[in-house]
């Protein structure tokens, strides 16, 4: 199903597509094992895409990508809605698990 969603047509002959399918499948399976809600699962997959895009398209360093991850995760668990980021539907424990996974 993920292969269809990603619109991979050359999976058998494209190493890049095979690796990307592996990357997203592993992340999806891990998130399902964490019992993430549908919204959390979607947010986690967006985060995987964001970080990979930073590396592949923007060619930023791993260190800079970690800073981007910190920015994305900033505010999780905060009660002040101004400080909480787009990923505020994760608990602090889930955010720690995501960081460990990544």
């Amino acid at each position: 199903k993920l292969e269809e969603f990603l619109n991979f047509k050359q999976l058998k002959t494209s190493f890049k597509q095979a690796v990307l399918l592996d990357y997203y499948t592993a992340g999806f399976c891990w998130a399902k094992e964490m019992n993430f809600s549908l919204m959390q699962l979607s947010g986690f997959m967006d985060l995987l895409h964001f970080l990979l895009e930073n590396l592949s398209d923007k060619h930023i360093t791993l260190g800079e990508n970690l800073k981007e991850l910190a920015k994305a995760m900033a505010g999780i668990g905060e009660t002040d809605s101004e400080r909480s980021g787009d990923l505020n539907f994760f608990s602090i424990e889930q955010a720690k698990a995501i960081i460990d996974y990544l």
Side-chain angles (χ1 to χ4, degrees):
K1 295 285 181 188
L2 199 52
E3 177 183 347
E4 288 175 27
F5 178 77
L6 295 170
N7 197 29
F8 287 166
K9 306 265 189 227
Q10 302 170 342
L11 191 61
K12 300 213 186 294
T13 58
S14 172
F15 185 66
K16 179 180 179 180
Q17 285 185 0
V19 169
L20 287 173
L21 182 62
D22 238 12
Y23 173 75
Y24 287 116
T25 300
F28 181 84
C29 290
W30 179 83
K32 288 293 285 179
E33 288 174 11
M34 293 293 295
N35 294 316
F36 284 173
S37 69
L38 188 56
M39 181 180 284
Q40 290 170 328
L41 184 60
S42 177
F44 178 70
M45 297 304 287
D46 281 346
L47 185 61
L48 287 179
H49 179 74
F50 169 72
L51 295 172
L52 183 62
E53 188 176 66
N54 282 348
L55 292 172
S56 63
D57 295 346
K58 297 177 184 173
H59 304 288
I60 68 172
T61 65
L62 181 59
E64 288 297 315
N65 215 9
L66 289 173
K67 288 178 186 175
E68 290 297 317
L69 174 61
K71 286 181 197 174
M73 304 291 274
I76 291 177
E78 294 287 329
T79 55
D80 182 2
S81 60
E82 276 186 30
R83 291 194 58 199
S84 60
D86 292 341
L87 301 174
N88 60 356
F89 42 77
F90 289 113
S91 69
I92 293 172
E93 291 78 24
Q94 289 170 325
K96 288 178 183 177
I98 290 169
I99 291 168
D100 286 346
Y101 174 80
L102 294 171

